[in-house]
Amino acid sequence: MELIILSAFNIIYIKWALIFFLGAICGSFFYTLALRYIDGSFRDNIIKALFSTSRCQACKKRILPLYLIPILGYLFLKGKCKYCGNRISLFYPTFEIVYGLLLILFVSEFQFNSYSIILFLISGIAISISIIDVYIYKIPNSLIAVFITASIYPIILNNNIKDNLFGFILMLSFFILALLLFPGSFGGGDIKFASAIGLLLGLELSIVTIEAALVSGSVIGVIYAIKKRDGLKHKIPFAPFLTLGIITALLFGRDIVLIYYNIVY
């Protein structure tokens, strides 16, 4: 009996380890995708930027497949390029871990199926958009188009297109109104990204997204202003907060909405 329990435990452990590793692989891809957009590779050749071999950013030597294994590759190299000794950014394994844990959360919530995988990939695209926005204050139209394309499946599966349109209208109207009342508070990319999120989530979950984004954005904004000691003069990219909002809504939005209804009724 103890052997059976131990075997079952081992199987479960292996299952979640594999799911984490799959997420980490996706994390490596999405983070590299963002970096290649930031460094301008996409302007030259999109296919080459997506599928060319990875190289050290300092010496341009090709990184061997062994060292591309998520997290482990970084540990094998001890955080430095094998050829030139240049330090590898800690963001690489960090985002691999983040994506691995994120896939575990989605699978825990929705089981391992096409729905959970597509929501995870949508979140992955959103994180890539956030990274790009942080570095160059730009939200690529191409990635928003990919985000919308990936959203088609869950929209069809939920079978409530009217609610999706209401979410789109809410997000579009909210951010346009905010831009009119507070000029310069958001950019055109923020409005397009928020509208795409609203189309995916529908009305109720869009409200959750807005709240999560505004609360987290306000907290980080105040902390940033205190650190810089010059007030709220610096523009802060908003895509990361929208991304936090969409992940919160996808994973916990229904529970949050239910709490709202219980309070009201």
Side-chain angles (χ1 to χ4, degrees):
M1 186 64 181
E2 291 180 357
L3 289 175
I4 294 175
I5 294 174
L6 184 60
S7 298
F9 177 80
N10 288 336
I11 292 172
I12 293 173
Y13 177 81
I14 293 171
K15 169 193 169 183
W16 289 113
L18 290 174
I19 289 172
F20 174 85
F21 186 69
L22 176 60
I25 291 174
C26 293
S28 179
F29 171 80
F30 279 119
Y31 183 63
T32 302
L33 170 71
L35 292 183
R36 290 183 178 177
Y37 190 95
I38 292 166
D39 67 18
S41 301
F42 271 70
R43 289 193 293 269
D44 301 325
N45 189 322
I46 294 178
I47 302 300
K48 184 179 179 180
L50 283 174
F51 300 105
S52 60
T53 55
S54 296
R55 298 178 180 274
C56 172
Q57 292 183 334
C59 67
K60 306 304 178 183
K61 290 279 189 178
R62 188 173 76 89
I63 300 175
L64 298 176
L66 174 65
Y67 302 126
L68 293 176
I69 300 174
I71 304 168
L72 295 177
Y74 183 88
L75 296 176
F76 290 153
L77 290 171
K78 298 180 180 179
K80 295 181 180 180
C81 174
K82 178 182 178 181
Y83 304 102
C84 67
N86 187 65
R87 186 166 294 280
I88 301 170
S89 173
L90 189 60
F91 283 125
Y92 280 98
T94 299
F95 276 101
E96 289 167 355
I97 292 171
V98 167
Y99 275 84
L101 295 175
L102 190 61
L103 183 55
I104 286 177
L105 287 174
F106 275 105
V107 173
S108 298
E109 183 68 22
F110 303 106
Q111 299 184 345
F112 190 84
N113 51 43
S114 58
Y115 186 70
S116 63
I117 295 300
I118 196 66
L119 292 185
F120 165 74
L121 292 176
I122 289 171
S123 300
I125 296 167
I127 295 174
S128 290
I129 290 173
S130 299
I131 295 170
I132 294 169
D133 194 27
V134 167
Y135 275 91
I136 60 175
Y137 293 93
K138 183 177 181 180
I139 297 179
N141 290 329
S142 56
L143 288 187
I144 292 178
V146 174
F147 182 95
I148 294 173
T149 302
S151 300
I152 293 174
Y153 175 70
I155 289 174
I156 293 175
L157 199 63
N158 289 333
N159 195 28
N160 192 356
I161 188 63
K162 185 183 293 186
D163 182 56
N164 295 105
L165 292 175
F166 283 150
F168 169 79
I169 293 171
L170 171 67
M171 294 293 267
L172 178 63
S173 303
F174 178 87
F175 280 88
I176 288 179
L177 180 60
L179 190 60
L180 291 174
L181 293 175
F182 307 100
S185 55
F186 301 107
D190 294 321
I191 296 174
K192 287 181 282 188
F193 186 33
S195 300
I197 292 172
L199 183 63
L200 167 67
L201 296 180
L203 184 61
E204 293 179 339
L205 295 186
S206 291
I207 295 173
V208 174
T209 300
I210 290 174
E211 290 181 342
L214 292 179
V215 170
S216 58
S218 299
V219 171
I220 297 299
V222 170
I223 293 173
Y224 186 78
I226 293 174
K227 183 178 179 181
K228 291 295 182 179
R229 298 181 180 178
D230 58 356
L232 299 174
K233 295 179 181 179
H234 292 274
K235 184 178 179 181
I236 299 177
F238 200 67
F241 306 114
L242 285 172
T243 296
L244 178 61
I246 184 176
I247 293 173
T248 300
L250 288 173
L251 289 171
F252 314 111
R254 295 300 177 191
D255 295 329
I256 294 173
V257 170
L258 185 60
I259 292 172
Y260 291 163
Y261 280 130
N262 289 333
I263 293 173
V264 173
Y265 299 106

